[in-house]
């Protein structure tokens, strides 16, 4: 049965959970399909994650490969295809522990960067798993700065081959997933040399293991990079190349080519090589940042109405911890952020799809904005969500620290999203560079993308709020965010200009402004997120109950940001100290209002117990029983040799000299 | 050899590293002893942590027990005793992976709470390991709020015994270290009942496993609680009691007693029962919060002068990442915090030693202040340091995420310090309650402890700074912190009073202020830390070079706090927007100054390579070679059965239906 402390929370929902779920899914039909996928996956014992928290890295890897292979069979059986409506729900249902994700990136980069001929040759092979692909970009000494890659590909005109080499240890490929133990092929990024001239980084298809017996190919050294903070199921690998030859046809050549005589021809921007990363960044926001936060909120909020601790009022029974203001203030802003980011993700996906269509038609105009968006939002959302998951973990006290809560693995996994596919600070600075350019253009009266037109309109002004209720007006707080972002961007631009005018070299000046540039980029993304949330709520086609609670969440998200970064709004007096007290009051007032619907709001995310895999977060709230049951299954409850070997001699005083 | 990029950093140190090390140790003699202990431990292969990152929870536990047992032998051999000068360095040298730490807490609680007779009986047994002790306070359903514990101890006058019971699942003891698999005895906390009357929580000595064969004693159910985010080496346990009887003499009775006829007698404050926790809180600040931050800074800063990425200036070679302002702004404030907390820890230890002497003389006057200090600083320092370690980890990019960097385990371990020995928010609220009382007393002209006299002097005022250099004046910024803390404390007190006067019930009013109360408590601790750092630097007896760099670090710590929490200082106009720009300028100006000495400043912490156990942080800076060497030792580079079982059939297209 359901724990009564949790059941009672559901009886008072102010809206239909089922309708909110459908809204999040994008319609009831999507919800139906998603649930069918989840049901098919979870009813299959091969996909069970029951023992995950007890497994070693080797066991996790083996399980992930087993699941990946089984998934192929299953998809075939059920008629699911890569283009079918079920596809996007499969990985959510598997909840991550599956191999060959890099095989998909391998395919995506060939589809995007390969010539028609290359696509025709490699994609069917990959589709049928006649090879296992990977994506080898990062090196031991080189990450986000791709121009710095040291692997070389020298064109040998006599044999019409590229000769690939790892000239030194820092050039070793390091981190690529699926490469340490599984992959037979990889797309490897290397500096292209023709006739001694360097043409920069290009992608090459390379076989690394035998298709017959999986032994390493000649000239290849490869293996697994060892334990990580999470992703034990993935064989992140290393790769060294010694005079490895690939035919001329293996350089991906949709946008450029080395012709048989060594002539280098290019049809598109060199930047297109990074487009795979751009698309990966956008897609990871949803899977690797937003979904974990939704799960963490589900676990922490359900637990917080079951956990009772201390008393609100002398003589009462102990209170649910979610009734404490401090607990509400930890969790509910994270819940609001989960919704905010869900809606900004919709916005980004739409933006990306439009750009992708353009690029297919070789129109690269939207690339700079898309790159700035994907960089800034990847950085801002992953950072925000990582901190949100950590807050959820800590809000569950000691039990949150148990692996059985599910929160530690959510945290250690989401943390990686701040690092991979571009380190966040560097990404924010790329967005900042775009913003600086746009500001300059806007100031000169030139056209800029719609998302940054606000930069032209920068003016001092004051927030017009007269009482705390004014801060529940979305126009008012969106305006405050806009003002704040515009101020940070223009004041940093001014500092940059001052430095240059005072004789500081341009690159030094840039470096001296980077702390503030990163802050400005984050502020821009925060502003766009608030604005998009407010606009989404405004035009929401949903029952009044849902509209109302979404409005509350939007208010909370916005006011939490002002409360937490008060200095940014107070700095030029746009918001006064007295107004900040109103913000604080409105912000704190919202907490008990949203708290009433906290459980229905996480129920609407519709995660199954198996997908949460949490002793604290299950739908029935039987937290203590489940912790106790799961703990008993732990291998640490087998007899340990430590007793006979060490404890017994110690206690029986039979240690020599003791 | 040492990597030249790291070696060059040491040649330009502005001070003597060796002298700074001695200063941190409290004198050259301490440095000598510490190094001797480290040498003795590290030269002994039993204490090796070489394979730690590759071990399972079971292997970690066995290794920890082996080390703990071996340590006894070793100490005996070398003549090290619990009271000797070597003792406090042993655990630093072992770097944590050792069992029986709860055995020490067991002994400490008996020494502190036991009668002379109990001390005489149990301490020698424990000292000679004729038993292994633990400390069973926390329950599955009850943590920081001790009054809520549900385990019962009913006095049976007929047999002169206490009957101990776990009345329901939430009352099960859960988390105690060393208890899941090792301990034979424990100090168990239970609600004392005599003649049907409850006298609150009391500690009892209880045997849980046979001294003969280690089987569980009658009525005892116990085991290990399974995997956690870290502390794999510790057997955190669960314990259920069914009518377990202990003799009357087993209730710890230095301050209270149940007499044979059932009369309950008390000599001291009931609060003294929590004194063990207070002492543990103080001691963990140094070992579990400050030391990990020092290690994390050492690793991240050394790595940041070896790692080169991107270019500062076109045409240059790639730059050391520590030359980027953003990297400096991540790491150097954490380095400054490590020093700030080192000095506040000295202050707290002195305070504690004074209080401890008082309590031994049954003078409990300083308990409230000591409790407030230990709670607030435990919370503030552990939270600050946890976030500092996370920043260090993320600042190392992908390699920081590898377990081989050492940073993930530092992080997952320090994170626990925010939770155990009192959840941080609850602790901050205890400090806040103390501050509210002191404010009231101070306003009424009554005497208050010296640390809070500033509350009486609260006045509006403005920061007198006229240019950015003024913010390098310790009096000026200490004053700003004092003003800010006093403002938060008094404005929260005013809100509390307003609510009560407007008819809100006292406990509801308290709850509605807790977010701000916690903030005020944190601000108080932050202020004391800045003040103490400034005073320490002021009276430092050290060469000019050390004085100068310590002054820089103190300035950086203080200005970083103002920059990061600008809103708190801007709110009432104490610091104006224009002055905040000066703060920012001074703050950013300090970064390149301290950056020059960053490596010497972490070298001074004097951690051996073995104690860092980090491929990124070794003294010689051979980062990439070490990562590669260590990765090759990983068990994930053994042949996996996954190929024969899954990959081969897949690639050879022998999966049915594929």
């Amino acid at each position: 049965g359901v724990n009564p402390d949790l059941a009672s929370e559901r009886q008072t929902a102010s809206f239909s959970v089922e309708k909110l779920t459908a809204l999040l899914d994008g319609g009831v039909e999507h919800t139906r399909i998603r649930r069918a996928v989840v049901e098919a996956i979870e009813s299959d014992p091969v996909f069970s994650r029951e023992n995950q928290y007890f497994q070693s890295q080797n066991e996790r890897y083996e399980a992930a490969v087993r699941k990946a292979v089984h998934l192929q069979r299953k998809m075939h059986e059920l008629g699911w295809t890569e283009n079918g409506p079920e596809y996007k729900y499969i990985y959510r249902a598997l909840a991550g522990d599956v191999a060959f994700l890099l095989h998909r990136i391998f395919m995506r980069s060939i589809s995007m960067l390969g010539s028609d001929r290359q696509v025709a040759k490699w994609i069917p092979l990959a589709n049928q798993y006649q090879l296992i692909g990977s994506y080898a970009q990062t090196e031991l000494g080189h990450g986000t700065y791709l121009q710095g890659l040291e692997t070389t590909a020298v064109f040998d005109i006599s044999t019409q081959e590229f000769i690939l080499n790892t000239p030194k240890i820092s050039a070793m490929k390091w981190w690529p997933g699926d490469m340490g133990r599984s992959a037979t092929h990889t797309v490897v990024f290397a500096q292209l040399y023709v006739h001694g001239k360097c043409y920069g980084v290009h992608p090459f298809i390379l076989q690394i293991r035998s298709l017959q017996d999986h032994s390493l190919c000649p000239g290849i050294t490869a293996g697994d990079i060892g334990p990580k903070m999470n992703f034990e199921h993935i064989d992140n690998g290393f790769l060294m190349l010694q005079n490895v030859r690939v035919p001329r046809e293996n350089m991906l050549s949709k946008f450029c080519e080395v012709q048989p005589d060594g002539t280098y021809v290019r049809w598109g921007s060199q930047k297109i090589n990074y487009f795979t990363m751009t698309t990966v960044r956008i897609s990871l926001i949803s899977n690797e940042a937003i979904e974990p936060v939704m799960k963490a909120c589900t676990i922490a909020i359900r637990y917080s109405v079951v956990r009772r601790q201390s008393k609100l009022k002398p003589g009462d029974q102990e209170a649910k911890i979610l009734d404490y203001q401090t607990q509400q203030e930890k969790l509910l802003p994270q819940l609001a952020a989960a919704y905010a980011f869900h809606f900004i993700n919709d916005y980004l996906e739409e933006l990306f799809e439009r750009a992708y269509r353009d690029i297919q038609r070789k129109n690269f105009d939207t690339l700079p904005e898309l790159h700035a968006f994907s960089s800034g939002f990847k950085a801002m959302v992953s950072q925000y969500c990582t901190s949100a998951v950590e807050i959820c973990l800590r809000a569950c006290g000691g039990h949150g620290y148990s692996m059985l809560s599910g929160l530690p693995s959510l945290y250690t996994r989401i943390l990686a999203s701040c690092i991979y596919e571009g380190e966040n600070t560097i990404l924010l600075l790329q967005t900042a560079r775009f913003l600086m350019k746009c500001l300059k253009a806007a100031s000169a009266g030139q056209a800029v993308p719609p998302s940054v037109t606000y930069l032209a309109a920068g003016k001092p002004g004051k927030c017009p709020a007269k009482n705390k209720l004014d801060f529940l007006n979305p126009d008012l707080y969106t305006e405050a965010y806009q003002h704040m972002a515009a101020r940070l961007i223009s004041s940093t631009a001014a500092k940059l200009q001052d430095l240059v005018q005072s004789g500081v070299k341009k690159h030094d000046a840039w470096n001296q402004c980077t702390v503030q540039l990163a802050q400005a980029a984050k502020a821009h993304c925060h502003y766009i997120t608030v604005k998009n949330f407010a606009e989404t709520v405004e035009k929401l086609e949903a029952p009044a109950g849902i509209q109302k609670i979404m409005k509350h969440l939007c208010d909370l998200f916005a006011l939490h940001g002002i409360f937490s970064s008060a200095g940014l709004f107070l700095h030029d007096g746009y918001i006064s100290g007295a107004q900040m007290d109103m913000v604080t009051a409105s912000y704190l007032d919202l907490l008990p209002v949203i708290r009433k619907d906290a459980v229905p709001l996480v129920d609407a995310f519709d995660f199954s117990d198996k997908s949460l895999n949490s002793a604290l977060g299950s739908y029935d709230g039987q937290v203590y029983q489940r912790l106790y049951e799961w703990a008993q299954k732990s291998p640490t409850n087998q007899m340990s040799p430590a007793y006979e070997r060490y404890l017994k001699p110690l206690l029986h005083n039979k240690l020599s000299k003791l």
Side-chain angles (χ1 to χ4, degrees), chain A residues 425-426 429 432-433 436 492-493 495-497 499-500 504-519:
Chain A
T425 305
I426 299 173
L429 292 177
R433 205 177 278 279
M436 291 294 117
T492 311
K495 177 180 169 185
L496 195 55
Q497 202 176 12
L499 283 170
V500 173
V504 178
K505 295 243 172 65
K506 217 169 164 187
H507 54 269
D508 285 333
W510 177 264
N511 191 25
Q512 287 171 36
C513 292
T514 45
V515 166
Q516 287 149 304
L517 284 164
Q519 198 179 36

Side-chain angles (χ1 to χ4, degrees), chain A residues 471-492:
Chain A
F471 279 102
L472 303 179
N473 175 351
D475 290 340
L476 186 135
Y477 57 66
T478 304
E479 183 78 20
Y481 272 91
Q482 186 189 93
H483 175 85
M484 182 273 296
R487 180 182 67 77
L488 287 177
I489 293 163
S490 63
S491 72
T492 311

Side-chain angles (χ1 to χ4, degrees), chain A residues 103 106 122 125-133 184-185 205 211:
Chain A
H103 184 72
F106 173 85
W122 293 100
L125 289 173
N127 255 331
Q128 292 157 49
Y129 280 93
Q130 293 181 36
L131 58 81
I132 298 167
T184 61
H185 287 67
I205 299 176
L211 288 169

Side-chain angles (χ1 to χ4, degrees), chain A residues 298-312:
Chain A
T298 305
I299 295 168
I301 286 173
R302 286 181 181 164
Y303 176 66
S304 295
V305 299
V306 165
R307 177 73 170 185
R308 289 175 174 275
Q309 193 75 354
S310 200
K311 296 179 182 181
L312 267 170

